[in-house]
Short mmCIF file of all heavy atoms in Angstrom, two decimals:
data_model
loop_
_atom_site.label_atom_id
_atom_site.label_comp_id
_atom_site.label_asym_id
_atom_site.label_seq_id
_atom_site.Cartn_x
_atom_site.Cartn_y
_atom_site.Cartn_z
N ALA A 57 -17.07 3.12 3.82
CA ALA A 57 -16.84 3.92 2.61
C ALA A 57 -15.36 4.26 2.45
O ALA A 57 -14.86 4.35 1.33
CB ALA A 57 -17.67 5.21 2.68
N LEU A 58 -14.65 4.43 3.54
CA LEU A 58 -13.22 4.73 3.47
C LEU A 58 -12.38 3.48 3.25
O LEU A 58 -11.35 3.52 2.60
CB LEU A 58 -12.77 5.44 4.74
CG LEU A 58 -13.34 6.84 4.97
CD1 LEU A 58 -12.94 7.34 6.35
CD2 LEU A 58 -12.88 7.79 3.90
N ILE A 59 -12.80 2.37 3.81
CA ILE A 59 -12.01 1.14 3.75
C ILE A 59 -12.09 0.47 2.38
O ILE A 59 -11.09 -0.08 1.91
CB ILE A 59 -12.45 0.18 4.86
CG1 ILE A 59 -11.99 0.73 6.21
CG2 ILE A 59 -11.90 -1.22 4.65
CD1 ILE A 59 -12.46 -0.06 7.39
N GLN A 60 -13.21 0.53 1.71
CA GLN A 60 -13.37 -0.16 0.43
C GLN A 60 -12.36 0.30 -0.62
O GLN A 60 -11.70 -0.53 -1.24
CB GLN A 60 -14.81 0.00 -0.07
CG GLN A 60 -15.13 -0.85 -1.27
CD GLN A 60 -14.96 -2.33 -1.00
OE1 GLN A 60 -15.13 -2.80 0.11
NE2 GLN A 60 -14.59 -3.06 -2.02
N PRO A 61 -12.17 1.61 -0.83
CA PRO A 61 -11.13 2.01 -1.79
C PRO A 61 -9.73 1.58 -1.36
O PRO A 61 -8.88 1.24 -2.20
CB PRO A 61 -11.23 3.54 -1.82
CG PRO A 61 -12.57 3.87 -1.30
CD PRO A 61 -12.94 2.76 -0.36
N LEU A 62 -9.48 1.57 -0.06
CA LEU A 62 -8.17 1.13 0.42
C LEU A 62 -7.96 -0.35 0.14
O LEU A 62 -6.85 -0.76 -0.22
CB LEU A 62 -8.03 1.42 1.91
CG LEU A 62 -7.94 2.90 2.28
CD1 LEU A 62 -7.90 3.06 3.80
CD2 LEU A 62 -6.73 3.55 1.65
N LYS A 63 -8.99 -1.15 0.30
CA LYS A 63 -8.87 -2.58 0.00
C LYS A 63 -8.56 -2.79 -1.48
O LYS A 63 -7.72 -3.62 -1.83
CB LYS A 63 -10.17 -3.31 0.36
CG LYS A 63 -10.34 -3.56 1.83
CD LYS A 63 -11.61 -4.37 2.08
CE LYS A 63 -11.80 -4.68 3.54
NZ LYS A 63 -13.02 -5.46 3.78
N LEU A 64 -9.24 -2.04 -2.33
CA LEU A 64 -8.98 -2.16 -3.77
C LEU A 64 -7.55 -1.76 -4.10
O LEU A 64 -6.87 -2.43 -4.88
CB LEU A 64 -9.97 -1.29 -4.56
CG LEU A 64 -11.43 -1.72 -4.51
CD1 LEU A 64 -12.32 -0.70 -5.21
CD2 LEU A 64 -11.59 -3.08 -5.16
N ARG A 65 -7.07 -0.69 -3.49
CA ARG A 65 -5.70 -0.23 -3.75
C ARG A 65 -4.67 -1.23 -3.26
O ARG A 65 -3.66 -1.48 -3.92
CB ARG A 65 -5.49 1.15 -3.10
CG ARG A 65 -4.15 1.75 -3.41
CD ARG A 65 -3.97 2.03 -4.87
NE ARG A 65 -2.65 2.59 -5.11
CZ ARG A 65 -1.92 2.34 -6.18
NH1 ARG A 65 -2.40 1.60 -7.15
NH2 ARG A 65 -0.73 2.87 -6.30
N VAL A 66 -4.92 -1.82 -2.10
CA VAL A 66 -4.01 -2.84 -1.56
C VAL A 66 -3.95 -4.04 -2.51
O VAL A 66 -2.88 -4.58 -2.78
CB VAL A 66 -4.42 -3.26 -0.14
CG1 VAL A 66 -3.71 -4.51 0.30
CG2 VAL A 66 -4.15 -2.13 0.85
N ALA A 67 -5.11 -4.45 -3.04
CA ALA A 67 -5.13 -5.57 -3.99
C ALA A 67 -4.34 -5.23 -5.25
O ALA A 67 -3.58 -6.07 -5.76
CB ALA A 67 -6.57 -5.93 -4.34
N GLU A 68 -4.49 -4.00 -5.75
CA GLU A 68 -3.72 -3.57 -6.92
C GLU A 68 -2.23 -3.59 -6.63
O GLU A 68 -1.42 -4.04 -7.44
CB GLU A 68 -4.14 -2.17 -7.34
CG GLU A 68 -5.53 -2.07 -7.93
CD GLU A 68 -5.96 -0.63 -8.17
OE1 GLU A 68 -5.16 0.29 -7.88
OE2 GLU A 68 -7.10 -0.43 -8.63
N LEU A 69 -1.84 -3.09 -5.46
CA LEU A 69 -0.43 -3.05 -5.10
C LEU A 69 0.15 -4.45 -4.93
O LEU A 69 1.31 -4.69 -5.29
CB LEU A 69 -0.23 -2.22 -3.83
CG LEU A 69 -0.48 -0.72 -3.99
CD1 LEU A 69 -0.41 -0.03 -2.63
CD2 LEU A 69 0.50 -0.10 -4.96
N GLU A 70 -0.64 -5.37 -4.39
CA GLU A 70 -0.15 -6.75 -4.25
C GLU A 70 0.07 -7.37 -5.63
O GLU A 70 1.07 -8.07 -5.84
CB GLU A 70 -1.14 -7.57 -3.44
CG GLU A 70 -1.12 -7.23 -1.96
CD GLU A 70 -2.19 -7.96 -1.16
OE1 GLU A 70 -3.09 -8.58 -1.77
OE2 GLU A 70 -2.12 -7.93 0.08
N ALA A 71 -0.83 -7.10 -6.58
CA ALA A 71 -0.66 -7.62 -7.94
C ALA A 71 0.59 -7.01 -8.59
O ALA A 71 1.36 -7.71 -9.25
CB ALA A 71 -1.90 -7.33 -8.77
N GLU A 72 0.79 -5.72 -8.39
CA GLU A 72 1.98 -5.06 -8.94
C GLU A 72 3.25 -5.62 -8.30
O GLU A 72 4.28 -5.75 -8.96
CB GLU A 72 1.90 -3.56 -8.71
CG GLU A 72 0.87 -2.85 -9.56
CD GLU A 72 0.77 -1.37 -9.27
OE1 GLU A 72 1.67 -0.82 -8.59
OE2 GLU A 72 -0.21 -0.76 -9.71
N THR A 73 3.19 -5.96 -7.03
CA THR A 73 4.35 -6.52 -6.34
C THR A 73 4.71 -7.88 -6.93
O THR A 73 5.90 -8.17 -7.12
CB THR A 73 4.04 -6.66 -4.83
OG1 THR A 73 3.75 -5.37 -4.31
CG2 THR A 73 5.22 -7.25 -4.08
N VAL A 74 3.71 -8.69 -7.23
CA VAL A 74 3.99 -10.00 -7.83
C VAL A 74 4.68 -9.82 -9.18
O VAL A 74 5.68 -10.49 -9.48
CB VAL A 74 2.67 -10.81 -7.97
CG1 VAL A 74 2.86 -12.03 -8.84
CG2 VAL A 74 2.14 -11.19 -6.61
N VAL A 75 4.16 -8.90 -9.99
CA VAL A 75 4.77 -8.65 -11.31
C VAL A 75 6.20 -8.13 -11.15
O VAL A 75 7.11 -8.57 -11.85
CB VAL A 75 3.89 -7.65 -12.11
CG1 VAL A 75 4.61 -7.20 -13.37
CG2 VAL A 75 2.55 -8.28 -12.45
N ALA A 76 6.39 -7.21 -10.21
CA ALA A 76 7.73 -6.65 -10.00
C ALA A 76 8.71 -7.73 -9.54
O ALA A 76 9.87 -7.74 -9.98
CB ALA A 76 7.67 -5.52 -8.98
N ARG A 77 8.28 -8.62 -8.68
CA ARG A 77 9.16 -9.71 -8.23
C ARG A 77 9.54 -10.62 -9.38
O ARG A 77 10.69 -11.07 -9.48
CB ARG A 77 8.50 -10.49 -7.10
CG ARG A 77 8.50 -9.75 -5.80
CD ARG A 77 7.91 -10.56 -4.68
NE ARG A 77 7.97 -9.80 -3.44
CZ ARG A 77 7.18 -9.96 -2.42
NH1 ARG A 77 6.24 -10.89 -2.46
NH2 ARG A 77 7.29 -9.23 -1.33
N GLN A 78 8.58 -10.91 -10.26
CA GLN A 78 8.89 -11.75 -11.42
C GLN A 78 9.91 -11.05 -12.33
O GLN A 78 10.82 -11.69 -12.85
CB GLN A 78 7.62 -12.07 -12.19
CG GLN A 78 6.68 -12.99 -11.45
CD GLN A 78 5.33 -13.14 -12.14
OE1 GLN A 78 5.00 -12.38 -13.05
NE2 GLN A 78 4.53 -14.09 -11.69
N GLN A 79 9.73 -9.73 -12.50
CA GLN A 79 10.67 -8.99 -13.33
C GLN A 79 12.06 -8.98 -12.70
O GLN A 79 13.07 -9.08 -13.41
CB GLN A 79 10.17 -7.56 -13.54
CG GLN A 79 8.96 -7.47 -14.42
CD GLN A 79 8.38 -6.07 -14.50
OE1 GLN A 79 8.72 -5.21 -13.68
NE2 GLN A 79 7.51 -5.83 -15.47
N VAL A 80 12.14 -8.87 -11.39
CA VAL A 80 13.44 -8.89 -10.71
C VAL A 80 14.11 -10.24 -10.89
O VAL A 80 15.31 -10.33 -11.15
CB VAL A 80 13.27 -8.54 -9.21
CG1 VAL A 80 14.52 -8.88 -8.42
CG2 VAL A 80 12.92 -7.07 -9.05
N GLU A 81 13.33 -11.33 -10.77
CA GLU A 81 13.91 -12.66 -10.96
C GLU A 81 14.43 -12.83 -12.37
O GLU A 81 15.53 -13.37 -12.58
CB GLU A 81 12.86 -13.73 -10.65
CG GLU A 81 12.51 -13.84 -9.18
CD GLU A 81 11.37 -14.81 -8.92
OE1 GLU A 81 10.94 -15.52 -9.86
OE2 GLU A 81 10.89 -14.86 -7.77
N THR A 82 13.67 -12.37 -13.36
CA THR A 82 14.10 -12.47 -14.75
C THR A 82 15.36 -11.64 -14.99
O THR A 82 16.31 -12.11 -15.63
CB THR A 82 12.97 -11.98 -15.69
OG1 THR A 82 11.81 -12.77 -15.46
CG2 THR A 82 13.37 -12.07 -17.14
N ALA A 83 15.38 -10.43 -14.47
CA ALA A 83 16.55 -9.56 -14.64
C ALA A 83 17.77 -10.16 -13.96
O ALA A 83 18.88 -10.11 -14.51
CB ALA A 83 16.26 -8.17 -14.09
N THR A 84 17.59 -10.73 -12.78
CA THR A 84 18.71 -11.34 -12.07
C THR A 84 19.28 -12.52 -12.87
O THR A 84 20.51 -12.67 -12.98
CB THR A 84 18.25 -11.82 -10.68
OG1 THR A 84 17.74 -10.70 -9.96
CG2 THR A 84 19.39 -12.45 -9.90
N ARG A 85 18.40 -13.32 -13.42
CA ARG A 85 18.85 -14.46 -14.23
C ARG A 85 19.60 -13.97 -15.47
O ARG A 85 20.67 -14.50 -15.81
CB ARG A 85 17.65 -15.33 -14.63
CG ARG A 85 18.03 -16.61 -15.34
CD ARG A 85 16.85 -17.51 -15.63
NE ARG A 85 15.80 -16.83 -16.39
CZ ARG A 85 14.61 -16.46 -15.92
NH1 ARG A 85 14.31 -16.70 -14.67
NH2 ARG A 85 13.73 -15.84 -16.68
N GLU A 86 19.08 -12.94 -16.14
CA GLU A 86 19.73 -12.42 -17.34
C GLU A 86 21.09 -11.80 -17.01
O GLU A 86 22.05 -11.99 -17.76
CB GLU A 86 18.83 -11.38 -18.02
CG GLU A 86 17.62 -11.99 -18.69
CD GLU A 86 16.68 -10.94 -19.27
OE1 GLU A 86 16.96 -9.73 -19.13
OE2 GLU A 86 15.67 -11.34 -19.87
N VAL A 87 21.19 -11.10 -15.91
CA VAL A 87 22.47 -10.51 -15.50
C VAL A 87 23.48 -11.62 -15.23
O VAL A 87 24.65 -11.52 -15.61
CB VAL A 87 22.28 -9.59 -14.27
CG1 VAL A 87 23.62 -9.26 -13.63
CG2 VAL A 87 21.55 -8.32 -14.67
N SER A 88 23.05 -12.68 -14.59
CA SER A 88 23.94 -13.80 -14.31
C SER A 88 24.45 -14.44 -15.60
O SER A 88 25.64 -14.74 -15.75
CB SER A 88 23.22 -14.83 -13.45
OG SER A 88 24.03 -15.95 -13.23
N GLU A 89 23.52 -14.62 -16.57
CA GLU A 89 23.92 -15.20 -17.85
C GLU A 89 24.89 -14.27 -18.59
O GLU A 89 25.85 -14.74 -19.21
CB GLU A 89 22.68 -15.46 -18.71
CG GLU A 89 21.80 -16.57 -18.17
CD GLU A 89 20.47 -16.68 -18.91
OE1 GLU A 89 20.21 -15.88 -19.83
OE2 GLU A 89 19.69 -17.58 -18.55
N LEU A 90 24.63 -12.97 -18.53
CA LEU A 90 25.53 -12.02 -19.20
C LEU A 90 26.91 -12.00 -18.55
O LEU A 90 27.93 -11.89 -19.25
CB LEU A 90 24.91 -10.62 -19.20
CG LEU A 90 23.71 -10.44 -20.13
CD1 LEU A 90 23.05 -9.09 -19.89
CD2 LEU A 90 24.12 -10.59 -21.58
N ARG A 91 26.97 -12.10 -17.25
CA ARG A 91 28.27 -12.15 -16.57
C ARG A 91 29.06 -13.37 -17.01
O ARG A 91 30.27 -13.30 -17.23
CB ARG A 91 28.08 -12.16 -15.05
CG ARG A 91 27.73 -10.81 -14.49
CD ARG A 91 27.57 -10.87 -13.00
NE ARG A 91 27.23 -9.54 -12.48
CZ ARG A 91 26.70 -9.30 -11.31
NH1 ARG A 91 26.43 -10.32 -10.50
NH2 ARG A 91 26.43 -8.08 -10.92
N MET A 92 28.36 -14.51 -17.12
CA MET A 92 29.04 -15.73 -17.55
C MET A 92 29.54 -15.57 -18.99
O MET A 92 30.68 -15.97 -19.31
CB MET A 92 28.11 -16.93 -17.46
CG MET A 92 28.80 -18.24 -17.73
SD MET A 92 27.83 -19.75 -17.48
CE MET A 92 26.21 -19.24 -17.17
#
Side-chain angles (χ1 to χ4, degrees):
L58 293 173
I59 289 175
Q60 189 59 30
L62 291 176
K63 283 184 178 180
L64 293 174
R65 184 63 181 145
V66 166
E68 290 173 1
L69 291 174
E70 286 175 349
E72 289 177 14
T73 300
V74 168
V75 170
R77 285 183 179 155
Q78 291 172 348
Q79 290 174 345
V80 166
E81 289 174 8
T82 301
T84 302
R85 186 176 55 252
E86 288 176 358
V87 166
S88 176
E89 291 171 359
L90 289 171
R91 284 181 180 162
M92 187 174 8

